[in-house]
Amino acid sequence: QAHLVESGGALVQVGTSLQLSCVTSGFRFRAYDMSWYRQSPGKERELFATITGKDGSTNYADSVKGRFTISRDNAKNTVWLQMNNLKPEDTGMYFCNAHGDWAWDRAALDAWGQGAPVTVSS
């Protein structure tokens, strides 16, 4: 019964900024790592940003490091993605993901949103 809903996708110009949000429900949000993935036609889905449930630490793929920021608010059950200095290669469908292996304080979970389209035009 986990639900994740992305919003904020848009058509934007190269060099501009965009913020996506992912509002979740149906699971104990603070117990799970949250990630952003993206996928372009003909390409494999790419994990590019993660923020942990344990301590809020973040990890980024080299493709977005220094330009994108992932954040979360456990009181709002929401994760955000701030994207700056967008490039044409950032174009794709952006997916929010909640993940956690089984532990004493949580069920195993791997839940996905339906995606938000981001198009960066030159």
Side-chain angles (χ1 to χ4, degrees), residues 12-122:
V12 298
Q13 294 183 7
V14 169
T16 64
S17 297
L18 188 66
Q19 184 174 263
L20 305 182
S21 64
C22 174
V23 178
T24 74
S25 62
F27 65 100
R28 194 160 66 87
F29 178 82
R30 66 181 67 244
Y32 294 89
D33 295 347
M34 299 297 300
S35 295
W36 286 98
Y37 291 72
R38 64 187 182 183
Q39 188 169 27
S40 298
K43 300 289 186 65
E44 292 187 357
R45 186 170 295 187
E46 175 194 18
L47 168 63
F48 64 86
T50 297
I51 183 166
T52 68
K54 178 181 179 180
D55 57 12
S57 62
T58 58
N59 287 284
Y60 300 95
D62 288 342
S63 58
V64 308
K65 192 171 298 181
R67 299 188 298 120
F68 290 10
T69 302
I70 186 172
S71 60
R72 67 191 294 163
D73 186 337
N74 290 336
K76 297 182 180 294
N77 299 143
T78 300
V79 61
W80 291 271
L81 178 70
Q82 178 65 47
M83 301 181 287
N84 297 326
N85 191 25
L86 284 161
K87 304 175 180 179
E89 52 263 44
D90 294 320
T91 294
M93 190 70 69
Y94 283 66
F95 298 91
C96 182
N97 169 260
H99 178 78
D101 294 328
W102 179 91
W104 291 112
D105 61 340
R106 70 184 183 190
L109 180 69
D110 191 34
W112 296 85
Q114 291 189 272
V118 174
T119 302
V120 184
S121 64
S122 58

